[in-house]
Amino acid sequence: MIRSLQLFWLILERLHLKKFLFVFLLWYVIACILLWILDPGITTLADGFWFGFILVTTIGFGDFTVTTLPARIVAGILGLYGDLVITFLTGAITSWFFEKFQAFRGHSVGAFVTQLEHMDELSNEELQQVADKAKALRAQKEAGKQTSA
C-alpha cells in the first residue's frame, strides 16, 4: 500500500501536479469562505464548504444557489478550477494504474526511476537487476535506431 502511494506521489511529481493541487486546495478554502461572506443564501461556513464541494465535484444537488454577482464570479472560477483538477487527477490516476500494470509485467518506468534514485539503498542483487534493465533498454534503443535508418 505504501509503495502504491509512493508511486502515485512520484506520478504527481512527474506531472508537476503537486503545486497545482496545493494551490487548488488553498483556493478552495478561500473561495468557500468568500461564498459564505458574499452570498446571503449561504448562511453558515459549513454550507459554504458544502456548496464548494458539490460545485467542484459537479454533483450540483441544487440545495444552494448563489445570487449575488461577486459570489457567482467566485463560484464560476471555483467550478472551472475544479473541472481542471478532476481532469488532471483522472490522468494521474490512469498513469498510476498503467504503472501498476507495467510493474506487474516487470516493465515499470516509475519503479525503474525510483530504483535509480535510491541506488545507495539497493542490495547487490537489485543493483544487478537495474544494470541488466539498463542494458536491455539500451539494446532496444539501438535496435530501434537500426530499423529506422
Side-chain angles (χ1 to χ4, degrees), residues 11-117:
I11 289 170
L12 290 178
E13 283 179 350
R14 297 280 187 246
L15 296 175
H16 305 288
L17 289 179
K18 287 176 18 179
K19 289 180 186 175
F20 181 77
L21 290 174
F22 175 76
V23 171
F24 170 73
L25 288 175
L26 185 63
W27 168 244
Y28 175 79
V29 170
I30 292 169
C32 291
I33 292 169
L34 285 174
L35 289 169
W36 170 54
I37 293 169
L38 296 173
D39 198 275
I42 300 175
T43 56
T44 66
L45 184 57
D47 287 346
F49 278 99
W50 175 249
F51 179 73
F53 174 76
I54 62 175
L55 181 66
V56 166
T57 59
T58 68
I59 295 171
F61 289 129
D63 50 350
F64 294 103
T65 56
V66 289
T67 55
T68 65
L69 181 61
R72 287 180 180 181
I73 292 170
V74 170
I77 294 169
L78 181 60
L80 290 173
Y81 203 171
D83 288 344
L84 285 174
V85 167
I86 289 173
T87 302
F88 290 145
L89 277 179
T90 302
I93 291 169
T94 302
S95 296
W96 178 75
F97 276 117
F98 181 75
E99 281 294 321
K100 293 288 286 180
F101 179 72
Q102 292 294 76
F104 178 72
R105 293 181 52 216
H107 303 296
S108 172
V109 173
F112 184 63
V113 169
T114 302
Q115 286 178 325
L116 289 175
E117 289 175 343

